[in-house]
Every structure is written in structure tokens, then in C-alpha cells.
């Protein structure tokens, strides 16, 4: 059964090699895509509060000239797969 609410807190999303301006746009795209995936997906949450100390997400490959929105989406999809399969 899908819970009525899932709270996700990410302490840090490390984006090495991207300029600060792109990091903010990547982060915004990441948040939007993760929110969309959770809302649309078949996710479950544990019965009580739980913490996942680290997510081993699949490697993300994007073109060197990929726009920040594409990078953020792909990172969100990898994190989603790492947590919910």
C-alpha cells in the first residue's frame, strides 16, 4: 500500500565538476524529478521512521554538454532506483 506521505531528506548531493550556477539548477531539477517519481511510482515506506545512511545508486552517464535539467533528472532517477529499485 502506498503511504499517504513520504518525507525525504537528503543531507548532501555532491556535484563535483559543475559550476555553482549549474549546481543550483541541477539540484532544482533533481528535486522536481525525484518528487515526480515518488508521486507516480510504486513506493513503500517502513512502518516507522527510518534512515538510509547511504544510497548506492547506479552510475549516471550524461553528455559533457548536457543541460543542468538533464543532469538533475538523471541523478534523481538513479537515486530513485537506488532506494526503491
Amino acid at each position: 500500500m502506498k503511504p499517504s506521505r513520504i518525507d525525504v531528506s537528503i543531507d548532501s548531493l555532491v556535484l563535483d565538476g559543475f559550476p555553482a550556477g549549474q549546481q543550483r539548477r541541477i539540484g532544482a531539477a533533481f528535486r522536481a524529478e525525484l518528487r515526480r517519481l515518488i508521486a507516480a511510482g510504486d513506493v513503500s515506506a517502513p512502518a516507522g521512521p527510518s534512515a538510509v545512511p547511504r544510497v548506492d545508486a547506479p552510475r549516471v552517464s550524461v553528455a559533457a554538454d548536457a543541460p543542468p535539467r538533464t543532469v538533475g533528472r538523471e541523478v534523481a532517477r538513479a537515486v530513485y532506483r537506488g532506494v526503491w529499485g
Side-chain angles (χ1 to χ4, degrees):
M1 181 171 126
K2 186 172 182 174
S4 61
R5 178 182 168 142
I6 295 176
D7 290 324
V8 176
S9 175
I10 298 174
D11 290 334
S12 64
L13 176 63
V14 180
L15 298 168
D16 290 331
F18 294 95
Q22 283 189 352
Q23 288 181 9
R24 287 188 288 278
R25 292 194 314 245
I26 291 168
F30 170 83
R31 286 187 298 278
E33 180 68 0
L34 190 58
R35 192 175 294 123
R36 185 193 73 73
L37 290 167
I38 291 170
D42 182 19
V43 299
S44 60
S50 178
V52 178
R54 177 182 171 168
V55 174
D56 288 321
R59 181 175 291 267
V60 174
S61 295
V62 294
D65 61 347
R69 175 181 242 173
T70 299
V71 176
R73 285 179 183 164
E74 292 304 314
V75 172
R77 291 171 184 166
V79 169
Y80 180 84
R81 286 190 304 270
V83 174
W84 287 286

XYZ file of all heavy atoms in Angstrom:
628
model
N 0.838 -1.178 0.000
C 0.000 0.000 0.000
C 0.888 1.248 0.000
O 1.837 1.354 0.764
C -0.889 -0.021 1.239
C -1.816 1.161 1.324
S -3.010 0.915 2.656
C -2.734 2.399 3.564
N 0.566 2.172 -0.855
C 1.336 3.406 -0.956
C 0.981 4.311 0.219
O -0.186 4.570 0.482
C 1.029 4.102 -2.275
C 1.884 5.305 -2.523
C 1.665 5.814 -3.929
C 2.567 6.992 -4.172
N 2.517 7.444 -5.548
N 1.995 4.792 0.946
C 1.712 5.689 2.071
C 1.153 7.013 1.573
O 1.383 7.423 0.439
C 3.081 5.878 2.728
C 4.073 5.457 1.719
C 3.397 4.529 0.771
N 0.400 7.679 2.435
C -0.186 8.957 2.044
C 0.851 10.077 2.001
O 0.647 11.097 1.351
C -1.313 9.336 3.007
O -0.796 9.472 4.315
N 1.970 9.877 2.676
C 3.006 10.898 2.697
C 4.365 10.244 2.916
O 4.506 9.359 3.754
C 2.724 11.883 3.827
C 3.757 12.957 3.956
C 3.438 13.859 5.120
N 4.582 14.688 5.389
C 4.516 15.940 5.744
N 3.346 16.500 5.914
N 5.586 16.636 5.969
N 5.330 10.700 2.158
C 6.705 10.248 2.332
C 7.568 11.491 2.444
O 7.512 12.374 1.593
C 7.195 9.400 1.139
C 6.395 8.105 1.046
C 8.681 9.100 1.275
C 6.743 7.264 -0.156
N 8.331 11.588 3.518
C 9.263 12.699 3.696
C 10.661 12.206 3.340
O 11.110 11.196 3.865
C 9.252 13.209 5.134
C 7.963 13.917 5.494
O 7.401 14.593 4.628
O 7.530 13.790 6.652
N 11.312 12.916 2.459
C 12.669 12.571 2.053
C 13.574 13.736 2.415
O 13.295 14.884 2.061
C 12.745 12.301 0.534
C 14.180 12.036 0.108
C 11.841 11.141 0.150
N 14.622 13.436 3.132
C 15.601 14.450 3.497
C 16.963 13.976 3.011
O 17.404 12.887 3.362
C 15.618 14.652 5.010
O 16.635 15.548 5.372
N 17.593 14.790 2.190
C 18.912 14.444 1.665
C 19.897 15.445 2.244
O 19.787 16.650 1.998
C 18.918 14.477 0.127
C 17.928 13.435 -0.396
C 20.327 14.253 -0.412
C 17.722 13.465 -1.889
N 20.821 14.937 3.044
C 21.786 15.821 3.692
C 22.703 16.500 2.699
O 23.020 17.673 2.837
C 22.609 15.059 4.729
C 21.795 14.658 5.942
O 20.801 15.338 6.242
O 22.163 13.659 6.582
N 23.154 15.763 1.700
C 24.031 16.393 0.712
C 23.935 15.661 -0.618
O 23.756 14.456 -0.675
C 25.479 16.408 1.193
O 25.972 15.096 1.329
N 24.026 16.440 -1.652
C 24.090 15.933 -3.008
C 25.351 16.556 -3.586
O 25.418 17.759 -3.802
C 22.852 16.360 -3.807
C 22.811 15.976 -5.283
C 22.797 14.452 -5.430
C 21.579 16.582 -5.941
N 26.379 15.754 -3.754
C 27.682 16.265 -4.179
C 27.732 16.296 -5.699
O 27.539 15.281 -6.358
C 28.820 15.383 -3.618
C 30.169 15.909 -4.062
C 28.744 15.336 -2.093
N 27.986 17.477 -6.239
C 28.032 17.673 -7.682
C 29.388 18.255 -8.063
O 29.509 19.415 -8.448
C 26.898 18.602 -8.127
C 25.481 18.089 -7.849
C 24.457 19.190 -8.060
C 25.175 16.891 -8.734
N 30.417 17.461 -7.944
C 31.768 17.909 -8.286
C 31.879 18.170 -9.779
O 31.317 17.449 -10.594
C 32.804 16.848 -7.890
C 32.971 16.725 -6.390
O 32.769 17.733 -5.692
O 33.300 15.622 -5.926
N 32.622 19.204 -10.109
C 32.921 19.481 -11.506
C 31.918 20.358 -12.221
O 32.069 20.618 -13.403
N 30.887 20.795 -11.522
C 29.897 21.680 -12.130
C 30.023 23.072 -11.522
O 30.191 23.206 -10.307
C 28.475 21.163 -11.877
C 28.173 19.862 -12.560
C 28.323 18.665 -11.889
C 27.739 19.847 -13.876
C 28.050 17.457 -12.520
C 27.461 18.645 -14.512
C 27.619 17.450 -13.838
N 29.896 24.118 -12.328
C 29.917 25.486 -11.785
C 28.764 25.687 -10.802
O 27.719 25.036 -10.907
C 29.739 26.374 -13.017
C 30.097 25.517 -14.184
C 29.778 24.100 -13.781
N 28.950 26.599 -9.857
C 27.947 26.836 -8.806
C 26.565 27.118 -9.386
O 25.559 26.607 -8.903
C 28.390 27.974 -7.899
N 26.477 27.916 -10.416
C 25.179 28.233 -11.021
C 24.494 26.999 -11.568
O 23.286 26.842 -11.458
N 25.264 26.111 -12.170
C 24.692 24.865 -12.673
C 24.307 23.935 -11.539
O 23.312 23.219 -11.637
C 25.669 24.157 -13.610
C 25.742 24.770 -14.970
C 26.545 23.911 -15.934
O 27.166 22.924 -15.558
N 26.523 24.300 -17.196
N 25.062 23.937 -10.464
C 24.736 23.078 -9.324
C 23.349 23.403 -8.788
O 22.571 22.505 -8.479
C 25.783 23.222 -8.224
C 27.107 22.592 -8.567
C 28.121 22.734 -7.454
O 27.819 23.158 -6.349
N 29.360 22.365 -7.751
N 23.021 24.677 -8.700
C 21.697 25.062 -8.198
C 20.597 24.576 -9.154
O 19.564 24.071 -8.723
C 21.621 26.567 -7.987
C 22.405 27.039 -6.767
C 22.164 28.503 -6.469
N 22.807 29.378 -7.447
C 24.089 29.729 -7.430
N 24.869 29.275 -6.477
N 24.577 30.527 -8.348
N 20.827 24.729 -10.447
C 19.813 24.293 -11.423
C 19.719 22.767 -11.470
O 18.630 22.216 -11.607
C 20.130 24.877 -12.800
C 19.953 26.386 -12.810
C 19.922 26.977 -14.197
N 20.951 26.480 -15.087
C 21.933 27.207 -15.608
N 22.029 28.475 -15.331
N 22.810 26.658 -16.418
N 20.847 22.092 -11.341
C 20.827 20.627 -11.273
C 20.046 20.185 -10.037
O 19.219 19.283 -10.095
C 22.259 20.050 -11.260
C 22.933 20.278 -12.614
C 22.251 18.558 -10.895
C 24.433 20.006 -12.611
N 20.313 20.830 -8.900
C 19.603 20.498 -7.665
C 18.106 20.705 -7.789
O 17.311 19.883 -7.324
N 17.690 21.790 -8.428
C 16.257 22.062 -8.608
C 15.621 20.992 -9.501
O 14.528 20.497 -9.207
C 16.058 23.450 -9.205
N 16.302 20.621 -10.583
C 15.782 19.577 -11.473
C 15.746 18.232 -10.757
O 14.803 17.451 -10.920
C 16.633 19.493 -12.736
N 16.753 17.965 -9.948
C 16.809 16.732 -9.154
C 15.594 16.640 -8.224
O 14.905 15.625 -8.190
C 18.106 16.705 -8.347
C 18.163 15.623 -7.319
C 18.527 14.337 -7.668
C 17.846 15.883 -5.998
C 18.588 13.332 -6.723
C 17.890 14.885 -5.046
C 18.259 13.599 -5.408
N 15.344 17.719 -7.478
C 14.207 17.717 -6.543
C 12.884 17.517 -7.272
O 12.031 16.730 -6.839
C 14.182 19.010 -5.734
C 15.252 19.082 -4.666
C 15.084 20.296 -3.764
N 15.201 21.549 -4.479
C 16.360 22.149 -4.803
N 17.492 21.593 -4.452
N 16.367 23.289 -5.453
N 12.697 18.218 -8.378
C 11.446 18.107 -9.126
C 11.240 16.693 -9.665
O 10.143 16.133 -9.580
C 11.425 19.122 -10.263
N 12.289 16.108 -10.224
C 12.166 14.763 -10.796
C 11.977 13.712 -9.714
O 11.154 12.802 -9.863
C 13.384 14.430 -11.653
C 13.342 13.061 -12.296
C 12.275 12.894 -13.360
O 11.517 13.845 -13.657
O 12.192 11.789 -13.925
N 12.683 13.820 -8.599
C 12.506 12.849 -7.519
C 11.091 12.936 -6.962
O 10.447 11.913 -6.710
C 13.551 13.066 -6.415
C 13.614 11.979 -5.351
C 13.899 10.608 -5.959
C 14.668 12.317 -4.316
N 10.581 14.133 -6.805
C 9.207 14.333 -6.339
C 8.222 13.669 -7.313
O 7.292 12.980 -6.908
C 8.931 15.833 -6.230
C 7.670 16.187 -5.506
C 7.530 17.702 -5.336
N 8.566 18.227 -4.464
C 9.437 19.188 -4.797
N 9.383 19.760 -5.987
N 10.337 19.598 -3.954
N 8.444 13.873 -8.609
C 7.566 13.298 -9.627
C 7.620 11.770 -9.595
O 6.588 11.095 -9.635
C 7.968 13.802 -11.014
C 7.018 13.348 -12.123
C 7.605 13.596 -13.496
N 8.689 12.678 -13.822
C 8.541 11.384 -14.135
N 7.337 10.836 -14.155
N 9.587 10.637 -14.426
N 8.822 11.217 -9.503
C 8.981 9.762 -9.480
C 8.304 9.141 -8.263
O 7.657 8.094 -8.369
C 10.461 9.394 -9.501
C 11.189 9.667 -10.815
C 12.696 9.562 -10.607
C 10.718 8.728 -11.905
N 8.455 9.758 -7.121
C 7.834 9.233 -5.898
C 6.320 9.295 -6.012
O 5.614 8.344 -5.665
C 8.349 9.989 -4.653
C 9.822 9.636 -4.409
C 7.492 9.663 -3.431
C 10.499 10.501 -3.373
N 5.796 10.404 -6.511
C 4.345 10.559 -6.635
C 3.759 9.555 -7.627
O 2.662 9.031 -7.413
C 4.008 11.979 -7.069
N 4.487 9.272 -8.700
C 3.967 8.402 -9.748
C 4.307 6.930 -9.529
O 3.667 6.061 -10.114
C 4.525 8.837 -11.105
N 5.292 6.658 -8.685
C 5.810 5.303 -8.557
C 5.104 4.442 -7.548
O 4.218 4.873 -6.817
N 5.532 3.212 -7.541
C 5.029 2.225 -6.587
C 6.036 2.166 -5.444
O 6.891 1.298 -5.397
C 4.896 0.871 -7.271
C 4.320 -0.192 -6.349
O 3.704 0.175 -5.330
O 4.493 -1.380 -6.648
N 5.942 3.128 -4.548
C 6.894 3.212 -3.445
C 6.221 2.795 -2.148
O 5.027 2.913 -1.983
C 7.484 4.634 -3.288
C 8.240 5.046 -4.540
C 6.416 5.649 -2.982
N 7.043 2.306 -1.258
C 6.557 1.962 0.065
C 7.503 2.569 1.075
O 8.652 2.874 0.773
C 6.480 0.442 0.237
O 7.763 -0.116 0.063
N 7.003 2.770 2.243
C 7.814 3.324 3.324
C 7.738 2.366 4.500
O 6.756 1.663 4.669
C 7.296 4.703 3.726
N 8.771 2.330 5.325
C 8.721 1.476 6.513
C 7.623 1.933 7.467
O 7.146 3.059 7.383
C 10.104 1.651 7.131
C 10.709 2.830 6.486
C 9.999 3.075 5.203
N 7.236 1.052 8.363
C 6.170 1.358 9.304
C 6.503 2.540 10.202
O 5.627 3.308 10.575
C 5.855 0.133 10.151
N 7.748 2.705 10.565
C 8.149 3.810 11.432
C 9.236 4.619 10.776
O 9.651 4.341 9.654
N 9.722 5.636 11.470
C 10.806 6.446 10.901
C 12.010 5.584 10.573
O 12.315 4.628 11.269
C 11.136 7.432 12.020
C 9.925 7.456 12.893
C 9.313 6.076 12.785
N 12.651 5.903 9.491
C 13.787 5.117 9.043
C 14.796 6.033 8.367
O 14.437 7.069 7.840
C 13.321 4.047 8.056
O 14.413 3.314 7.578
N 16.033 5.630 8.400
C 17.079 6.399 7.725
C 17.905 5.461 6.874
O 18.210 4.343 7.267
C 17.966 7.097 8.752
N 18.223 5.910 5.699
C 19.119 5.183 4.815
C 20.409 5.983 4.820
O 20.444 7.089 4.283
C 18.534 5.074 3.389
C 19.498 4.368 2.464
C 17.184 4.374 3.411
N 21.457 5.466 5.448
C 22.669 6.267 5.602
C 23.366 6.587 4.284
O 24.023 7.605 4.155
C 23.564 5.420 6.489
C 23.028 4.046 6.390
C 21.569 4.160 6.060
N 23.184 5.730 3.300
C 23.837 5.948 2.012
C 23.067 5.191 0.946
O 22.630 4.062 1.169
C 25.265 5.437 2.068
C 25.984 5.569 0.765
C 27.368 5.022 0.845
N 27.918 4.978 -0.506
C 29.157 4.761 -0.773
N 30.006 4.548 0.208
N 29.577 4.740 -2.002
N 22.921 5.804 -0.202
C 22.258 5.150 -1.319
C 23.314 4.803 -2.355
O 24.050 5.671 -2.815
C 21.190 6.071 -1.957
C 20.614 5.443 -3.208
C 20.097 6.391 -0.957
N 23.409 3.533 -2.685
C 24.307 3.105 -3.744
C 23.517 3.127 -5.046
O 22.918 2.131 -5.449
C 24.859 1.706 -3.463
C 25.865 1.709 -2.320
O 26.649 2.672 -2.247
O 25.846 0.776 -1.519
N 23.478 4.294 -5.657
C 22.719 4.484 -6.884
C 23.548 4.043 -8.083
O 24.777 4.068 -8.039
C 22.332 5.952 -7.026
N 22.868 3.657 -9.156
C 23.595 3.307 -10.378
C 24.377 4.517 -10.898
O 24.013 5.658 -10.655
C 22.483 2.930 -11.370
C 21.253 2.742 -10.569
C 21.432 3.511 -9.303
N 25.423 4.250 -11.633
C 26.236 5.316 -12.227
C 25.381 6.102 -13.217
O 24.573 5.537 -13.939
C 27.433 4.715 -12.942
C 28.339 5.755 -13.570
C 29.571 5.119 -14.158
N 30.438 4.609 -13.117
C 31.445 5.297 -12.586
N 31.702 6.500 -13.005
N 32.183 4.770 -11.649
N 25.587 7.405 -13.240
C 24.877 8.289 -14.161
C 25.841 8.719 -15.256
O 26.930 9.203 -14.975
C 24.340 9.537 -13.416
C 23.727 10.516 -14.383
C 23.350 9.131 -12.344
N 25.416 8.532 -16.486
C 26.220 8.981 -17.630
C 25.407 9.971 -18.438
O 24.295 9.657 -18.876
C 26.597 7.797 -18.519
O 27.440 6.918 -17.830
N 25.943 11.155 -18.594
C 25.305 12.176 -19.421
C 26.386 12.804 -20.287
O 27.572 12.767 -19.961
C 24.592 13.262 -18.582
C 23.411 12.695 -17.828
C 25.549 13.926 -17.623
N 25.972 13.379 -21.390
C 26.912 14.048 -22.282
C 27.557 15.221 -21.554
O 26.944 15.839 -20.675
C 26.182 14.543 -23.523
N 28.786 15.518 -21.911
C 29.526 16.608 -21.272
C 28.805 17.940 -21.415
O 28.904 18.800 -20.537
C 30.925 16.710 -21.867
N 28.044 18.112 -22.481
C 27.336 19.372 -22.694
C 25.860 19.284 -22.323
O 25.062 20.141 -22.700
C 27.485 19.825 -24.147
C 26.901 18.819 -25.131
O 26.598 17.671 -24.729
O 26.755 19.184 -26.314
N 25.486 18.262 -21.548
C 24.090 18.099 -21.142
C 23.646 19.287 -20.294
O 24.396 19.764 -19.443
C 23.905 16.804 -20.355
N 22.431 19.770 -20.538
C 21.937 20.884 -19.727
C 21.703 20.450 -18.274
O 21.460 19.267 -18.013
C 20.630 21.284 -20.409
C 20.250 20.139 -21.266
C 21.491 19.356 -21.562
N 21.774 21.394 -17.333
C 21.571 21.067 -15.913
C 20.280 20.301 -15.652
O 20.253 19.394 -14.818
C 21.556 22.438 -15.232
C 22.375 23.298 -16.128
C 22.090 22.813 -17.522
N 19.220 20.615 -16.376
C 17.940 19.932 -16.171
C 18.077 18.434 -16.447
O 17.573 17.596 -15.706
C 16.882 20.554 -17.066
C 15.566 19.844 -17.006
C 14.577 20.496 -17.918
N 13.496 20.980 -17.081
C 12.513 21.708 -17.494
N 12.462 22.105 -18.735
N 11.561 22.062 -16.676
N 18.789 18.084 -17.512
C 19.000 16.673 -17.861
C 19.846 15.971 -16.804
O 19.531 14.852 -16.386
C 19.680 16.558 -19.239
O 18.824 17.158 -20.214
C 19.962 15.113 -19.608
N 20.903 16.631 -16.350
C 21.761 16.047 -15.311
C 20.945 15.792 -14.044
O 20.991 14.703 -13.471
C 22.972 16.959 -15.018
C 23.799 16.386 -13.872
C 23.827 17.153 -16.264
N 20.169 16.784 -13.613
C 19.348 16.637 -12.411
C 18.353 15.501 -12.517
O 18.170 14.721 -11.574
N 17.704 15.396 -13.664
C 16.733 14.311 -13.869
C 17.405 12.942 -13.783
O 16.887 12.024 -13.152
C 16.064 14.452 -15.234
C 15.046 15.541 -15.309
C 14.483 15.591 -16.710
N 13.538 16.676 -16.862
C 13.127 17.131 -18.021
N 13.571 16.593 -19.141
N 12.264 18.119 -18.074
N 18.546 12.801 -14.447
C 19.230 11.508 -14.460
C 19.742 11.122 -13.073
O 19.670 9.953 -12.678
C 20.359 11.502 -15.489
C 19.862 11.565 -16.918
C 18.896 10.442 -17.261
O 19.171 9.280 -16.935
O 17.844 10.747 -17.866
N 20.235 12.084 -12.331
C 20.692 11.812 -10.961
C 19.501 11.394 -10.098
O 19.585 10.441 -9.320
C 21.441 13.021 -10.364
C 21.746 12.801 -8.892
C 22.722 13.295 -11.149
N 18.369 12.081 -10.231
C 17.169 11.727 -9.460
C 16.707 10.316 -9.793
O 16.342 9.546 -8.899
C 16.049 12.726 -9.730
N 16.741 9.959 -11.068
C 16.321 8.612 -11.469
C 17.251 7.551 -10.887
O 16.796 6.490 -10.459
C 16.260 8.524 -12.992
C 15.123 9.353 -13.560
C 15.170 9.471 -15.058
N 14.100 10.358 -15.506
C 14.024 10.879 -16.716
N 14.948 10.585 -17.618
N 13.030 11.683 -17.027
N 18.529 7.846 -10.845
C 19.483 6.901 -10.263
C 19.245 6.748 -8.761
O 19.260 5.632 -8.231
C 20.912 7.361 -10.537
N 19.024 7.855 -8.061
C 18.753 7.793 -6.620
C 17.461 7.029 -6.361
O 17.391 6.173 -5.478
C 18.709 9.211 -6.007
C 18.166 9.177 -4.586
C 20.097 9.840 -6.038
N 16.446 7.313 -7.144
C 15.165 6.614 -7.005
C 15.355 5.097 -7.161
O 14.876 4.313 -6.349
C 14.167 7.137 -8.043
C 12.821 6.487 -7.987
C 11.843 6.936 -7.101
C 12.500 5.411 -8.811
C 10.597 6.345 -7.044
C 11.269 4.808 -8.760
C 10.323 5.284 -7.876
O 9.090 4.681 -7.812
N 16.092 4.701 -8.198
C 16.353 3.260 -8.403
C 17.176 2.692 -7.254
O 16.974 1.547 -6.845
C 17.071 3.030 -9.731
C 16.176 3.193 -10.941
C 16.842 2.727 -12.224
N 18.115 3.362 -12.506
C 18.255 4.482 -13.209
N 17.221 5.114 -13.701
N 19.463 4.990 -13.430
N 18.087 3.486 -6.701
C 18.904 3.026 -5.588
C 18.096 2.783 -4.321
O 18.424 1.913 -3.521
N 17.031 3.550 -4.133
C 16.215 3.410 -2.921
C 15.052 2.450 -3.142
O 14.812 1.565 -2.325
C 15.669 4.790 -2.465
C 14.708 4.641 -1.292
C 16.819 5.726 -2.096
N 14.320 2.616 -4.236
C 13.097 1.833 -4.448
C 13.210 0.793 -5.535
O 12.238 0.113 -5.843
C 11.918 2.764 -4.740
C 11.473 3.498 -3.518
C 10.778 2.978 -2.474
C 11.721 4.859 -3.190
N 10.572 3.935 -1.512
C 11.147 5.118 -1.931
C 12.384 5.897 -3.829
C 11.187 6.341 -1.318
C 12.425 7.141 -3.218
C 11.827 7.340 -1.970
N 14.396 0.657 -6.133
C 14.599 -0.388 -7.145
C 13.947 -0.055 -8.394
O 13.569 -0.369 -9.319
